[in-house]
Structures are given as C-alpha cells and as structure tokens.
Amino acid sequence: MHGGASFAAAGEDAGDAVLLEITDASFIAGEADPSPPPPVSVDDLAGLDPLPLIESSSYFRALLGGSFSESGRAHVQISCNLEAAVQVLVYLFEPSGSLTITHHTFLPLMEGGLFLAAENLLTECERWFRTMSSQSSSLLAPLDFLIETWYFAQEHGINYVQDICPGYLAQNFVDSEEKLSDFLLFMEKIKVQVISRRSFVKLPYDLLYSTIKCPSLTVDSEKQLCEAILCWITENTRCCEELPPNSVDHQLYLLNKVRICLLPLEFAAGTKRNWAEFGSKVESRILNLLKDSLRTVLDAIADDNLESYRVRITEYSKKIVLSGCPQITTEILYISVLPPANVGASLNKRLGSSWAQVDYRNIILYNELEEAVKSSSFGNVHMVDLSKCPNVHFSPAIDWLKLAFPELRIFRASFCLTFQFEDLLYLLLTCPWINEIDLSIDTSIIAQTHSVISSRFEGRGAVKPKLTRYYAQDPLCDTTMNSYFSNISKLILEGRNDITDVDLLKISILKNSLCYINIKNCTLLTDDGISKLLLKCTKIHSMVLSYTSFGNQSIQTLCNSNPLDSMDECRHVMAFRMQELHLDGCKGIGYAAMSQLMSNVNITNFLCLRETTLTDGALCNFVGSSLEFLDISETMVSMVSLAPVIRRNSNLRCLKAAGCRNLLFEHGEVEAMSGGNIYGDFLQEITSTCCLEDVEMGWAFSPIRVTTLIPSFSKVRKMTIGLGTTLPENILCALPDICPFLESLVLRFQMISDKVVRNLLESSTKLRVLCLYSCLGNLTSFSFQIKAPLLRILRLEWITPWMTNDDLAVLIQNYNLVELSLSGCKLLDSNSQELISSGWPNLTCLHLEECGQITLDGVSSILNCKALEDLLLRHTGKGIGRTIITDAITELPLLRKLALDLCDASEEGYDSPNNPEGKIMRTITMSRCKSVRSCFELHTEGSSYSKPVHKETIVLEWSSRQLRTTIVKERL
C-alpha cells in the first residue's frame, strides 16, 4: 500500500456499491513512502456491512446518506492521515470492547475520530484521557505525549484536554524516580523532575504557566519549582537567537509564582552566580524574614499576602523538604496547613492580635492554631525534613506533625541543636507511627585521646519548662505506654554527645521495633549503658557505634545467649543477626573480645573496623561471605587474613585499607594460621575477585600497568589514595579510562603534574570532588585552565604556593564550587575575599590556611557568603576584629563550625559570643600560637626573627543542653 487504501461499502443492492479510497494526506506523488503501511489489514474490511459507518460516524452517515456532493459517485477519494483513518475503521467495525487506547494510539484515534466525526470514539478517547489523568504518579504519562496532546487540543479546540493537562502536571510535577538536569549544567542530575530535561524545556509557556498557578501544584520543596522554571527559561532563551515578544514578561510571570521566601538559603545564594538580580532579591527577602519573622508574617496578614509564606502542601504531597531554610518558623509551619476556608479576614485578624500580644513561643498561640488545623490533614505525606531549620520550636512543631500528617513515616531534623532529648521522647509518644528519625549533628572535634588542659560547662539558659503538654511521664515508669512504641525501627542520634546512659535506657522502650541505631560519637555513653540497651532491644541488626565506649561488655552481650530473645537455635545470638556494624575508633575492644565478635558476625553486609584492635587472629575468625562494605584502615591486619575474606566476598563493593602497613609483610603467626593457604599480594587479590565502587588504599597498593586495574576498578566512583604508595603517572593519567564513573578523587602525598590534573578535569566527566593534599610534583596554574562543569568540591592543600588572584579568577570561571579549601597560598591578599564571595556566593565550606594577607583588612566580603556552614581562617592576615564570632553568628544563619587563629586578631583577641544559646552553631575553635626561635635559622646580632608555633586550642562546643569551653594542648 503506497499512501492509500480502499474498500467497498455495499448497500442492499449490489448496484449500490461505493468504492472508498483513503489516501495519505502527507504522501506526495513521486516520492517513496516515508514509512511502512500501518500494521492493520484494511482488506479485511472490504465488503463489510456499512451500517457501523453510518451509525458511528457523522461523516459516513452524511456521505452515504446523500448529503455530500460526492454522495452519488461510485468512487470516493478521501485524503487524510492514513494511520488515523485505519485506526478509526478498526474501531468502527470491531466490537468496542476490543479497543485499546494507549499513549501511542490516542492522538491518531483523536485525529481520525475528528476527521470522520466518530462521536462514540471521541467519547471513548475522552474517557480514557480523564481516567489516565486521575491515576497515580507511578503510571505517569510521557511528558512528550502531554505536550503533543496540548498542541493538538489547542489546534482543534478540545477543551477538556486544556482543562486537565495543567492540573495533571501540577499533581505530578515531582516524581522521585525521574530526574531533571541542573539548569546551569548539561549533565548533572538533581532531584527535580517532570520526566526529563529534554521534554520539560519543550513545555509551551501557556501550559507551564497554567501548571504553576494550579492550586494542586505539588513539589517536595519550593527549590524544585524554582529550579525547573530557571531551567526552562535558560533553555528557551538559549535556543532563540532573538527573544520573542513578551518573553521577558513571561519570565517574570513564571518567577513571580515562586514563593521565594521559602527557598533554601544556599540555593538562593547560588542563583546569584547566573541570575544576579533575581538571586540578590531572593537572598535579601530571606535575610529580612530572618530578622523579624513575626512582624513579616503580621504584615503579610495585613496585606492579604499570606499565601507567599505558606509551604506548598497538597492532598498529593508525599514529601515536605525544608532543609536549609533557617527562615522557617513554627508559625509558618502552622499557617501552611490551615484550611483555605479558615484563612479569612476574621481569622487573620484574630491570629494577628494573638501574635501581636503573645510571645510566639507561648503555648496559648498553638492552642488556637490546633483548633484551626484539626479539620485538615494530609494523609499522603510520609516524609518531613526540617534539617538546618534552627528557628523552628520543636515542641509545637511535633504537634504540627501529629495533627497534619497521620501517615508520617520519616522525620529528619539533623543539625538542629534546639531539638532536645525531651523533644524526642515527646515525639515518640505523640507520633508512634513514625518508622525513622534522624537527629544527627556534627560530631565533636575533641577526641578521648586529646590532651585536655581545662574544661568548664555553662548550661543553656532557655531550657524549656517541663509543661505537661509537651513532656509525658517518664516512659520507664509507665508500662502501659509500651504498646505505643511499635513502629520506630531506625533512630539516628549521631554526634549528640550530651546523651547519657539514662537517656539511652529510656530509648530502650523501643525494644519491640528498633532495628537500626546510630550513636556515633555519643561520647558520654559507657560500655555498660550500651550493653543494657542491647539487652533490651534484641531486634537491633544494624548499629553505628563509631568513637563510643563500646567495648568488651557490649560484645559479651552481643555474642552470648539472651534469655529474653525468643529466636531459635543460634539465631538467639544478636551478633549472628548483625547486618551492619560500624566500630571505627572504638578503643575499648580487647583482642580476645574482637576475636569473639568476628567469629559471630557471619551474615553482616557492612563492617567498619577502622582504628580498632583488629589483628590477623581476629579477622581469620570471620567466615562471612555477604560483605558489601569493609573498612580495616589503620589496623594491624596482613594479607594472610584479608585474602580469604576478599575471596569469599565477591559482592564486595567498598574496600578501605589505608594505613595498613602489615599488608606488605608476613608475621610469625602467618604460617601457623594459613594452613598452607597460598595467597597473592594485595593488588592481585582485589583485582581478581572484586568489582569495587569505593576504594581507599595506601600501603601495598602499587599498580604498574593500567590493564591490572581493568575491569575490577571499572565501576569505582570514589577513590582515596594515601600514604604508603605512589601511583605512577601512567596510572594517574589513565584514571578516567580505568574509572569512567569516577565522582570523587582524593590524593595524598602523590606525585602529580599538570598533565595528570588537566586530564582528570577534562576526561573525568562525572568528577564532583577533587582533593589534593601535600602532593609533590611540578604543578602550575596551567592545570586548572580547563572547565569541569560538575566539580563542586575542590581542596588544594600545600600544593599551590604560586596561586595569585588571577589564578583564583580562573578557578571561579571554570568551577561552580560549594566547598573550597586552600592552604599555603601565600600570594593571596585582601582582594581575594571579594573574588571568592562574588564568584562562589553559595559556598557552604571555606577553609583558608597560611594564605597570605586575605584577612588583613577584615572579613566583610567573606561574611557575604551567606550560605557558609563551615569557615576556617588560620594565619591569613592580622586584621580580624574582636567581634568576629558574634558577627559570624549574626551574618551567617547556617554557620555551624568556625575556626580562627589568635595570630590573625587585630586587637589581640576575640570577644566571646553574647550568650551561650546555640541554635545551629556547634563548634568554635581558636588556636593560640607562641613565638619560637628556630634552631635551623642563622640569626644576625639584634635579629628578632621567630616562627609562630602552635601552643593550644580553645574550643567552644554547643550541645542541646550546654556550652562546653575546653582548652586542648593539640592543634585541632
């Protein structure tokens, strides 16, 4: 069939036969058929009764009924979309129940149905489209299909499509399984979607605008909406040589729909790099809201502009992500769940009056708000993230969770010091349906091995009163409450070094459900306290106990039979059921206890034993074969024990063995333990067995040929190479080929060159992290004169002494960084500050050490990096004022770590913060030096040359309960 099809429609008399010929309107005579005929046999339709045509199609009814001029002809030619016509004919002659409408057939059926006026078919298509649009997001229609359908509907005046599409896209604007590329970069994937970047940027303006203004627009965070709009604007501007009329107005209309006061501060600051005016406006609004959020909300009520401060929560919402929004307050949370009908002038006036007269922390205000939200809840929300939201008062926020989200399963509030242990108990009592809670904070920088000169404590002045509304009776004394705590299976308390054994015992009320616990760096916990928790919570199968007092007693609990455990046979031993065990830095484990533990953790998948007493004897007792993660860094193991472990665990994906000197040597006990087992060296074993994704290597890792690392390293995404090995240049240059998925590379004490670095930046197209520490070689500024669009973290420590402001400008032009660390760049000056703050406005981490005179004139430009969370300034110029600590806390709302050196103080010291209340600030360190004359310097008479040498470090560390001031002899 070349562009046409025909069949005969016979009437009651053979003489009434009419030959209908359908030709493809797109077919041009003399040209080859551009596509094969439709996969439908039209011949089967010839000679069929024309009754279905007459009954179901106004076109055929008129044609065969004599209404057209062609009606009297024996041969009628119809020119239309051949595929569409065939689809319609199949529908007309076959039973309606056999019709299957899909994304692929909908438009042909619609086109054919409209051309041939098949009313029943058009009704079927409308029914299918409405049904499709009401289905869950797991059955999302392709975005390309929706765009094509939108254009088709506009052309043919199909109103229901134009009514349905915006709402459908609004409800499914976010789908966790799809990704949208970053609007600034070509290849980066982020958790914003609407199917795909390629399709999303094709959205017509009117459809996008209608979608955004739809009341059911559903996003996880306002950031996702803003990213999507900026991506759309960028791509549509780039593809047009000349901007179409009204395009600037269109951009403003779209951006005006973003509730900029609800954007994360880091994202807002980052938009200034490419959208200077818009980014500055957003950052300014957020900072103004931080200064007086209560007054801002009251003004919004007066101006009838409260909608700008309401978090988008709809009946379709599944996640609410407010992480990194220090401007979010509890008032904003409550306002966001108030039913629209209640946000009337009278209610606004009443609430405004309450806020004007009552402190926003007062319990009365939240009693009023509770009444307003009782009639509204959002049953689809299963995750809420309030991490880095220091201005949320969590006691009433927990009531907000309870009232608004009855199906909540995951709650995150990491890096929030204001979330106290009493709040956790109240959360457990109030929202027992939650499965996962994350309350992690930064770990303490003071280790048990540090030499502490003195320490004093200052209690927080604003500890909440124990109101019965928020704090229930001690759960340990009320056994009737035990039945409530049946769902919480995962609890993360990492870094909370104010939690005591008594607190841990209260957590044991979760004994019926708790499976995963993370108490990393909870330094006040004792081995006895951890042991008691394990005795009660026997269902635990995953533990992160790093840098705690976990020791011999807890191991005995894990490895001995528990009479409270009802498991059968050997499964009653908790250690046997361990799936994940992190013991790095646990110095209290004896050799015998470690051996006992290793002989029992046979099914574990994740095993971290870094900096422990692990030896060959203990590791040889481990006979598990399901390991995916193994960290034995800084231990005494050798190949005699490691080789069998590697061979048995072919699914090993992560292997960290840095600092293991014994991997190079054999010990006296090797022969006795090996039993004649023959094993290769470290490199041979890992390349012959594993297909790694994360590696950390040092001693014994000495590849010479590139082929040695292929294919075992072909899936590596993270690589750290440290002391104990020196990778040859041919290996370093070939890393992009050896590890095509490489995202993070850390090199310590390696020989590098311009050739190596340039090749990494140019060829490792997925590289996000590059850290070069104390590397040797002939590195010059030429290394970084190449773009790496995905690079986000760059650390150059003690390898770039030649760096100038011009070189810094090159880095700014080529890399969009969020973390920067420079050490030993002594040619930098005070102008470098402005370069850094204007070039990377969204920096979250900035470390500058021994970097010339950067702070000679103060730190005003650095404080313009409003998203900073971690700031280190050491030996960078004697110009830092006394008020730096207070200024930093005030100007940088997300700052958690601040490290200074008293050598840089312009007035011989720094003022302590005005009050001990830390909302998000975790640690302030101040290093103190003393001047020492070097024995190796030749001094002339009268010379006063001396070198500053570290003396001690003053550490201010906040927890949820107190401020601890410690003087440590070591430099931290």
Side-chain angles (χ1 to χ4, degrees):
M1 178 172 59
H2 298 285
S6 63
F7 68 95
E12 295 180 1
D13 192 310
D16 296 332
V18 178
L19 180 66
L20 297 180
E21 181 181 355
I22 304 175
T23 61
D24 196 338
S26 62
F27 178 72
I28 301 176
E31 291 188 1
D33 194 352
S35 61
V40 177
S41 175
V42 185
D43 295 336
D44 294 340
L45 303 176
L48 293 180
D49 187 347
L51 186 60
L53 299 181
I54 297 172
E55 290 181 343
S56 303
S57 169
S58 298
Y59 176 85
F60 285 118
R61 189 158 55 246
L63 177 64
L64 300 178
S67 300
F68 292 165
S69 59
E70 298 92 340
S71 297
R73 300 178 185 175
H75 178 262
V76 178
Q77 187 178 49
I78 304 171
S79 179
C80 64
N81 184 317
L82 182 59
E83 180 183 1
V86 171
Q87 294 281 2
V88 174
L89 292 173
V90 171
Y91 167 75
L92 295 177
F93 283 102
E94 292 187 358
S96 59
S98 65
L99 177 67
T100 300
I101 303 177
T102 67
H103 304 135
H104 303 291
T105 62
F106 176 76
L107 285 179
L109 286 172
M110 284 292 298
E111 184 176 355
L114 288 172
F115 183 83
L116 300 176
E119 294 89 349
N120 291 344
L121 176 59
L122 294 176
T123 301
E124 290 283 347
C125 288
E126 179 178 353
R127 184 181 298 113
W128 177 86
F129 193 80
R130 291 185 181 280
T131 302
M132 180 275 301
S133 65
S134 65
Q135 292 176 339
S136 64
S137 60
S138 61
L139 300 174
L140 276 179
L143 187 57
D144 285 331
F145 161 74
L146 294 176
I147 294 173
E148 192 176 357
T149 302
W150 174 267
Y151 281 126
F152 181 87
Q154 282 189 322
E155 181 181 353
H156 295 87
I158 304 174
N159 294 330
Y160 71 84
V161 170
Q162 299 179 66
D163 294 337
I164 291 174
C165 274
Y168 177 75
L169 283 176
Q171 296 168 23
N172 297 285
F173 199 83
V174 176
D175 178 2
S176 60
E177 295 181 356
E178 301 290 345
K179 310 278 185 181
L180 174 65
S181 296
D182 191 318
F183 69 97
L184 295 175
L185 308 171
F186 289 103
M187 298 178 65
E188 182 177 9
K189 291 183 179 179
I190 59 176
K191 289 191 175 180
V192 179
Q193 43 100 75
V194 182
I195 313 302
S196 69
R197 177 176 185 264
R198 178 178 298 177
S199 298
F200 179 77
V201 297
K202 294 179 182 178
L203 279 176
Y205 168 78
D206 49 359
L207 175 56
L208 179 58
Y209 183 76
S210 299
T211 298
I212 290 173
K213 73 176 185 179
C214 182
S216 60
L217 177 63
T218 303
V219 292
D220 292 347
S221 68
E222 202 67 17
K223 172 187 173 183
Q224 293 183 325
L225 175 61
C226 190
E227 279 178 322
I229 292 175
L230 291 175
C231 173
W232 186 91
I233 293 174
T234 300
E235 289 301 310
N236 281 272
T237 302
R238 180 183 293 123
C239 67
C240 299
E241 295 182 2
E242 293 186 7
L243 293 178
N246 301 324
S247 63
V248 175
D249 292 338
H250 287 173
Q251 295 176 12
L252 292 176
Y253 290 151
L254 293 175
L255 290 174
N256 284 338
K257 291 300 178 181
V258 178
R259 299 174 185 177
I260 59 177
C261 292
L262 304 178
L263 290 171
L265 182 55
E266 178 195 346
F267 173 77
T271 57
K272 294 196 298 183
R273 182 176 170 98
N274 292 78
W275 303 79
E277 184 178 351
F278 175 72
S280 298
K281 174 185 175 182
V282 176
E283 185 181 82
S284 177
R285 288 282 298 274
I286 292 173
L287 295 177
N288 288 337
L289 184 58
L290 273 165
K291 291 176 183 177
D292 192 347
S293 62
L294 184 58
R295 174 51 52 191
T296 303
V297 171
L298 288 172
D299 291 343
I301 292 175
D303 298 337
D304 196 23
N305 187 34
L306 199 58
E307 199 69 17
S308 298
Y309 300 90
R310 287 169 58 94
V311 179
R312 295 182 196 269
I313 309 176
T314 72
E315 60 180 303
Y316 308 101
S317 296
K318 295 181 180 179
K319 299 179 182 178
I320 300 173
V321 180
L322 298 171
S323 177
C325 296
Q327 72 275 22
I328 294 295
T329 63
T330 318
E331 290 83 11
I332 291 177
L333 298 181
Y334 273 76
I335 288 170
S336 301
V337 298
L338 287 172
N342 287 6
V343 189
S346 59
L347 180 59
N348 289 342
K349 182 178 180 180
R350 180 166 62 86
L351 293 179
S353 174
S354 297
W355 281 336
Q357 299 175 13
V358 182
D359 189 311
Y360 61 92
R361 289 170 294 186
N362 195 294
I363 191 173
I364 298 175
L365 172 64
Y366 296 105
N367 279 335
E368 293 180 350
L369 288 175
E370 275 186 335
E371 293 302 317
V373 300
K374 281 181 178 178
S375 60
S376 175
S377 64
F378 303 91
N380 286 324
V381 173
H382 67 266
M383 191 275 277
V384 172
D385 189 349
L386 297 178
S387 301
K388 302 180 192 176
C389 293
N391 289 305
V392 169
H393 297 275
F394 282 100
S395 296
I398 292 171
D399 282 333
W400 174 74
L401 295 174
K402 173 189 67 176
L403 293 168
F405 313 115
E407 298 297 326
L408 187 66
R409 293 295 177 264
I410 301 173
F411 175 62
R412 294 176 182 146
S414 55
F415 307 111
C416 294
L417 289 179
T418 54
F419 198 107
Q420 300 182 358
F421 187 79
E422 290 79 4
D423 293 321
L424 172 60
L425 296 180
Y426 184 58
L427 176 63
L428 298 181
L429 175 65
T430 307
C431 306
W433 50 82
I434 294 179
N435 320 39
E436 178 181 332
I437 300 174
D438 183 357
L439 304 177
S440 57
I441 61 175
D442 296 295
T443 56
S444 173
I445 64 171
I446 303 175
Q448 296 177 350
T449 56
H450 288 147
S451 177
V452 176
I453 299 175
S454 66
S455 185
R456 66 183 178 88
F457 300 88
E458 183 177 355
R460 294 171 61 95
V463 174
K464 302 182 184 74
K466 291 199 173 185
L467 303 175
T468 55
R469 170 182 173 77
Y470 294 142
Y471 303 106
Q473 178 181 352
D474 190 336
L476 294 175
C477 302
D478 187 359
T479 56
T480 62
M481 297 173 60
N482 289 354
S483 59
Y484 296 144
F485 302 94
S486 57
N487 291 311
I488 301 169
S489 59
K490 187 173 185 177
L491 181 61
I492 302 175
L493 301 172
E494 179 174 327
R496 293 194 170 263
N497 56 339
D498 55 352
I499 292 180
T500 65
D501 286 351
V502 175
D503 297 328
L504 202 61
L505 196 58
K506 293 177 181 178
I507 293 174
S508 65
I509 199 169
L510 305 174
K511 61 183 180 180
N512 292 329
S513 60
L514 190 62
C515 299
Y516 179 106
I517 187 167
N518 181 342
I519 50 175
K520 178 180 179 178
N521 214 258
C522 294
T523 52
L524 289 185
L525 299 177
T526 66
D527 189 22
D528 181 61
I530 297 172
S531 175
K532 289 179 179 177
L533 174 72
L534 297 177
L535 277 172
K536 290 181 174 292
C537 300
T538 58
K539 293 188 177 181
I540 292 178
H541 57 62
S542 298
M543 297 190 294
V544 181
L545 305 167
S546 312
Y547 302 100
T548 65
S549 297
F550 177 89
N552 299 343
Q553 185 175 345
S554 296
I555 289 178
Q556 290 301 313
T557 303
L558 284 176
C559 297
N560 292 338
S561 174
N562 189 338
L564 301 178
D565 196 341
S566 60
M567 293 290 183
D568 296 330
E569 300 178 359
C570 61
R571 292 182 62 84
H572 66 290
V573 177
M574 278 189 71
F576 184 81
R577 301 196 301 271
M578 280 295 134
Q579 299 175 15
E580 187 170 344
L581 190 59
H582 296 256
L583 302 179
D584 38 319
C586 294
K587 302 293 187 181
I589 305 175
Y591 296 108
M594 180 64 79
S595 295
Q596 183 183 13
L597 180 64
M598 290 298 98
S599 63
N600 282 277
V601 287
N602 296 333
I603 66 168
T604 185
N605 304 122
F606 297 83
L607 186 59
C608 183
L609 302 169
R610 176 189 291 256
E611 300 176 33
T612 64
T613 57
L614 184 69
T615 61
D616 281 335
L619 190 56
C620 281
N621 287 338
F622 177 76
V623 296
S625 58
S626 56
L627 277 179
E628 298 176 18
F629 177 104
L630 177 62
D631 187 351
I632 54 166
S633 300
E634 307 296 338
T635 63
M636 302 298 293
V637 299
S638 71
M639 283 307 300
V640 69
S641 60
L642 183 58
V645 173
I646 293 175
R647 291 179 182 179
R648 282 197 309 271
N649 292 272
S650 58
N651 289 326
L652 196 63
R653 296 291 175 263
C654 174
L655 179 59
K656 300 186 178 184
C660 296
R661 293 172 178 263
N662 289 346
L663 292 178
L664 288 170
F665 311 109
E666 294 186 357
H667 292 260
E669 58 179 337
V670 168
E671 185 175 346
M673 292 192 311
S674 64
N677 180 43
I678 299 176
Y679 56 88
D681 61 27
F682 180 60
L683 184 59
Q684 289 174 329
E685 293 295 339
I686 61 175
T687 54
S688 61
T689 305
C690 306
C691 189
L692 299 169
E693 297 178 6
D694 186 355
V695 295
E696 186 173 338
M697 306 297 181
W699 300 97
F701 181 71
S702 302
I704 299 176
R705 293 185 300 275
V706 173
T707 54
T708 306
L709 300 179
I710 300 176
S712 57
F713 277 52
S714 62
K715 294 185 179 180
V716 167
R717 298 180 182 275
K718 297 181 181 179
M719 175 181 288
T720 300
I721 305 297
L723 187 65
T725 187
T726 301
L727 295 184
E729 187 178 64
N730 69 310
I731 297 293
L732 290 173
C733 286
L735 279 181
D737 298 319
I738 298 171
C739 313
F741 302 104
L742 190 65
E743 298 175 1
S744 173
L745 178 63
V746 180
L747 299 177
R748 290 186 173 90
F749 306 106
Q750 300 298 304
M751 289 291 297
I752 59 176
S753 63
D754 286 344
K755 179 182 178 182
V756 169
V757 176
R758 284 180 64 86
N759 187 59
L760 281 169
L761 293 172
E762 183 177 20
S763 302
S764 295
T765 56
K766 300 182 182 297
L767 192 66
R768 298 178 60 89
V769 180
L770 178 62
C771 303
L772 306 176
Y773 300 109
S774 304
C775 292
L776 304 176
N778 236 352
L779 204 64
T780 70
S781 59
F782 183 63
S783 296
F784 302 98
Q785 294 177 4
I786 189 166
K787 291 185 179 294
L790 292 190
L791 193 67
R792 290 292 174 267
I793 299 175
L794 180 63
R795 301 185 185 277
L796 305 174
E797 300 190 5
W798 307 109
I799 65 166
T800 55
W802 39 261
M803 184 172 289
T804 64
N805 286 341
D806 290 338
D807 299 322
L808 199 57
V810 172
L811 295 182
I812 291 170
Q813 181 180 0
N814 291 334
Y815 316 122
N816 183 16
L817 302 179
V818 295
E819 294 188 20
L820 173 68
S821 179
L822 299 175
S823 298
C825 304
K826 296 189 176 183
L827 301 180
L828 299 180
D829 56 32
S830 56
N831 292 325
S832 306
Q833 272 194 55
E834 175 61 26
L835 283 172
I836 291 172
S837 63
S838 60
W840 295 304
N842 58 328
L843 280 179
T844 60
C845 175
L846 177 62
H847 287 191
L848 301 172
E849 184 172 0
E850 299 289 351
C851 285
Q853 301 297 313
I854 288 183
T855 58
L856 185 63
D857 298 327
V859 294
S860 57
S861 293
I862 289 178
L863 295 183
N864 287 332
C865 296
K866 299 300 182 181
L868 277 174
E869 302 175 11
D870 184 353
L871 176 61
L872 181 147
L873 302 170
R874 283 181 176 165
H875 295 174
T876 53
K878 199 175 180 67
I880 302 180
R882 296 192 64 90
T883 60
I884 175 60
I885 295 177
T886 301
D887 292 344
I889 293 175
T890 304
E891 297 292 327
L892 306 175
L894 293 173
L895 189 66
R896 304 196 311 273
K897 300 178 183 178
L898 176 63
L900 304 169
D901 199 302
L902 292 172
C903 293
D904 299 322
S906 61
E907 302 175 59
E908 305 301 325
Y910 305 120
D911 293 337
S912 296
N914 294 332
N915 60 71
E917 300 309 314
K919 289 184 176 180
I920 195 169
M921 176 62 77
R922 174 62 166 149
T923 306
I924 296 176
T925 62
M926 293 173 282
S927 297
R928 183 183 296 166
C929 297
K930 60 182 178 181
S931 298
V932 176
R933 187 183 297 273
S934 174
C935 302
F936 301 98
E937 295 288 343
L938 181 63
H939 303 289
T940 60
E941 186 176 349
S943 172
S944 60
Y945 176 82
S946 60
K947 181 179 181 180
V949 177
H950 176 73
K951 180 181 178 182
E952 59 196 17
T953 302
I954 304 170
V955 181
L956 280 67
E957 187 174 83
W958 281 263
S959 69
S960 64
R961 292 173 174 169
Q962 62 190 9
L963 166 63
R964 179 175 67 167
T965 303
T966 308
I967 300 178
V968 182
K969 195 170 185 179
E970 288 87 347
R971 183 176 185 179
L972 302 178

